[in-house]
Structure formats: structure tokens, C-alpha cells
Amino acid sequence: MPLRHRTTLTQYLIEERRRFPNSKGNFNALILDVALACKAIARAVAMGELGGLYGDHAAEAGGAINVQGETQKKLDVLSNDLFIRMNEWGGHLAGMASEEMDHPYQIPKPNPRGKYLLVFDPLDGSSNIDVNVSVGSIFSVLRAPQDAIDSGRDLTEQDFLQPGATQAAAGYALYGPTTMLVLTVGNGVSAFTLDPNLGEFMLTHPRLKVPEDTQEFAINASNSRFWEPPIKRYVDECLAGKSGARGKDFNMRWIASMVAEAHRILMRGGVFMYPKDNKDPSKAGRLRLLYEANPIGMIMEQAGGRASTGREPMLSVKPSGLHQRIGLVFGSKNEVERIERYHREPVEIENNTPLFAERTLFRD
Ligand code: F6P
């Protein structure tokens, strides 16, 4: 195959930086360190059973549970360590926070401290690790509060509680048949494919756009009995297809790796829902605001899609906790807006709709 010239991630970042003549390159160096962590995780994931990295962390000791109350996999712990190791030395960060750590991670002395915060889910979709289905890493870059930058003080949880609209950058790496890095630095969304021979991320999908309309939705239907009426209504209308209110047939997908669902939606449109439901009243949703909903939300919005809690735009939510959960709906703009509208409209509970009627797929 003839060699085709492609822009590398480094070239892309340098070209983006030219928009900011005063920038010193810290931001680009930070993104490249994140990309390096993702490449190292991709290698570990690709080794699978051969790397001895399947299974639960500390399984012999009964398994370790993270702050979310979820069992940590060996690869969760390794991925978290890789993110920390690759990013703690460069001097670009004031601190980090992750799904796998209860509290903010302080940059150890004598490493210099910088002006950005890195928040990440080192390995999203962990339930898929041991079954060789795509997983990914999600990250969000925020600016540290000015007094923390000036003083170099330790960070508090409060320093990270910034609405998604303030993110300086966001992205994810997808460890699938190919490894991809999808990135926004606030100027659209571009995707890079890892060239395994060169070890470089190459720009393969510039200026991605999420189609505004779709006929594909993703939701974990085993939760249907816990859904709130607007979600029931939306899904029910999709299932009713051509003969129902929507007048067209819909397709459904559920991978159980949000990164993989986000990627499919970025490539061909669709809508993803993990809404707030009544399953566990102590939880406002399943997914986490700071390192899942906000970065994916920024990517969707930057690609012309939309991200929402169902009730308000995701990026305007003021966080109240580092590991806060939230209901999340994202994807093709017109569908997400429709779901938001259903949340505003007075509800008629449609007990006789196909989803809840006698001969439904989801009934015992
Ligand atoms: O932790 C997040 C996550 O793994 C997402 O990637 C995925 O969308 C979701 O959980 C899957 O949830 P469930 O197990 O309910 O299908």
C-alpha cells in the first residue's frame, strides 16, 4: 500500500497552538503525556490473558472495591498507575483526580506543579475487559484555581468541582480493533488512529460531526421498570417504529462500554441514555459527572451533538462532589432535544404502550 502522508497528533497540536501565540506549550505537552498513557494502556489491554492482567485486583485477598463500590479489575489499577506515572512529572499539572482514587492526587515533591487539572476514568467499561470487548480511557482537562497555581498548594476536592463548560480539553482513547484517540481542545473534534508500527497517533478523522437525526438508540433495557416516564415514553415510541408516533423504525445497541457507544454515535449518529432512574434512590444516575459525562458531553457538543441530564445541559451542571453520579443522555441533537422536551412536558403514563403491554419484550 502506498505510504500516505498523515498529520501526527504532535503536528495537530502544534497547529492548534498557533491560534494562541502566547501559549508556552505546556498544554500540548500535557496532551502528549495523556496520549502516552493511553498507548501504554492499549498495549496492556491488547496482551489480554497473556499479560496475566485479567481478573479482579487483589482477587486472592477478596478483591478491592473502589470509591464507587465497584470491584476493581487488575487492568483498572494498572491503567490508573499509568495515567499517574506519565503525568505527574511534566510540571503541567496542579493535580489529578480519578475514578479509582477516593481523593485528589497531589503532585509529589520535588516535581514542579503546573496550572492544569487532569480528571480521568482510566479504564471505562471494565465489565468488558475479561470478555475482550472494547474498553477505553476518558479524560478531562480543567484549569486549576489561580491561588493554587500561585502558591503551589495541595488541591482540595472543591478545586475540581467546575462545570463542564469550563473544560480546556476533553477526550477518550478507545481500545478496540484499532486504538483511537478522540480529542477536543475546544475547536471541534478530531480522531486519531494509532499506527502500531510507528507508535504514533495519526489524524484519520478530522472535524467530526454527529448527524443531527438518527434511528438508533442505546439504553440498558433491563432497567426499564425503574425509568422515569419521559424515558419510558421515548423508548416506547422508538420501539413502536413505523406504526407509532415517530413513524419510523429504530435500531437498538448496548455495548456496556460508554466510550464505545460514544464513538459509534460520533461516527454515525445515535442517542445514548443512562438516565436517572428509581433503581436506587440514593444515586442520581449510574455514570459519573466529572470524568464520564462532562468529557463526553464536551466532545458531543463540539461535534454538533448534544449532552444533557434530560433536564438541563450537562455542561452547565455545577458539580457537588468529585465522584458525583448523574443521569446522562447524549448524541444526535434532535433526539436529545426531544428527550429534554419529554422531560418538560406533562406526563401521561402510557400503560398500554407496547413496552409495558401484555406481549412486550420486557415483561416477565
Ligand atoms: O462504569 C461505566 C460503565 O461501564 C459504562 O461504560 C457503561 O455504559 C455502563 O457502565 C454499563 O452499565 P450496565 O452494566 O448497567 O450496562
Side-chain angles (χ1 to χ4, degrees):
M1 226 188 288
L3 191 65
R4 180 165 166 202
H5 175 76
R6 298 240 186 225
T7 302
T8 64
L9 175 62
T10 311
Q11 283 174 308
Y12 173 87
L13 289 169
I14 289 171
E15 277 158 28
E16 284 295 311
R17 187 182 142 201
R18 292 193 179 126
R19 294 189 294 129
F20 306 98
N22 294 332
S23 91
K24 298 191 176 62
N26 293 57
F27 179 79
N28 284 2
L30 165 60
I31 300 293
L32 291 173
D33 287 345
V34 170
L36 185 58
C38 295
K39 285 191 256 187
I41 297 169
R43 280 291 284 269
V45 169
M47 285 303 286
E49 186 65 39
L50 295 175
L53 290 168
Y54 276 174
D56 294 348
H57 175 61
E60 39 312 323
I65 306 288
N66 70 10
V67 66
Q68 315 296 331
E70 289 161 359
T71 307
Q72 282 180 310
K73 300 277 188 187
K74 285 183 193 162
L75 272 168
D76 283 325
V77 175
L78 176 74
S79 304
N80 196 60
D81 288 350
L82 285 167
F83 255 86
I84 289 175
R85 251 198 287 141
M86 303 296 183
N87 288 289
E88 70 180 355
W89 62 274
H92 320 303
L93 289 178
M96 296 183 237
S98 139
E99 178 180 16
E100 304 302 335
M101 301 184 287
D102 298 11
H103 304 292
Y105 180 84
Q106 311 295 346
I107 301 297
K109 294 198 167 72
N111 293 354
R113 291 183 174 180
K115 58 183 176 183
Y116 295 105
L117 306 178
L118 181 64
V119 189
F120 53 93
D121 177 352
L123 205 55
D124 175 62
S126 316
S127 69
N128 284 320
I129 292 174
D130 295 349
V131 293
N132 199 14
V133 168
S134 298
V135 288
S137 304
I138 313 174
F139 61 91
S140 160
V141 179
L142 298 162
R143 291 181 183 81
Q146 194 57 47
D147 76 293
I149 300 172
D150 294 341
S151 64
R153 66 165 168 80
D154 276 2
L155 295 177
T156 64
E157 178 167 332
Q158 194 61 36
D159 296 326
F160 289 83
L161 304 185
Q162 306 179 26
T166 66
Q167 292 172 103
Y172 63 80
L174 178 65
Y175 314 120
T178 60
T179 293
M180 293 190 71
L181 183 81
V182 175
L183 179 69
T184 176
V185 295
N187 185 28
V189 177
S190 291
F192 303 80
T193 304
L194 183 64
D195 179 333
N197 297 321
L198 297 177
E200 286 279 355
F201 279 112
M202 300 296 191
L203 180 62
T204 45
H205 300 72
R207 293 174 296 282
L208 284 167
K209 285 280 163 249
V210 179
E212 291 192 349
D213 292 297
T214 184
Q215 291 182 223
E216 199 160 63
F217 69 101
I219 192 162
N220 181 345
S222 72
N223 293 323
S224 60
R225 67 191 183 281
F226 304 113
W227 293 339
E228 293 181 330
I231 297 292
K232 285 181 180 160
R233 174 183 172 190
Y234 178 79
V235 173
D236 200 46
E237 287 180 2
C238 291
L239 293 175
K242 256 198 188 100
S243 55
R246 301 297 306 272
K248 59 180 185 177
D249 289 337
F250 279 77
N251 190 19
M252 193 181 89
R253 288 284 181 271
W254 188 249
I255 306 173
S257 266
M258 191 190 51
V259 177
E261 320 262 12
H263 195 68
R264 183 189 63 246
I265 288 172
L266 208 51
M267 292 293 146
R268 68 177 191 210
V271 63
F272 171 99
M273 292 163 278
Y274 215 126
K276 176 178 178 305
D277 62 23
N278 306 314
K279 192 173 186 175
D280 177 351
S282 70
K283 291 181 182 159
R286 162 90 160 85
L287 302 178
R288 277 51 63 110
L289 174 59
L290 286 180
Y291 39 83
E292 293 183 313
N294 275 346
I296 296 297
M298 181 177 182
I299 287 168
M300 288 296 145
E301 302 261 337
Q302 284 286 322
R306 190 165 171 83
S308 170
T309 64
R311 294 177 167 81
E312 61 179 314
M314 188 57 65
L315 300 186
S316 66
V317 174
K318 171 84 184 84
S320 57
L322 200 54
H323 300 288
Q324 176 182 353
R325 293 176 189 263
I326 198 139
L328 171 60
V329 176
F330 67 78
S332 294
K333 192 164 176 280
N334 291 339
E335 293 301 302
V336 178
E337 283 177 353
R338 174 183 287 268
I339 295 165
E340 290 176 310
R341 174 158 64 76
Y342 288 3
H343 279 84
R344 287 194 302 270
E345 283 175 2
V347 177
E348 270 177 52
I349 300 184
E350 296 153 90
N351 284 322
N352 57 352
T353 55
L355 182 60
F356 304 101
E358 287 303 317
R359 282 187 302 277
T360 167
L361 181 64
F362 301 126
R363 208 172 153 102
D364 294 337

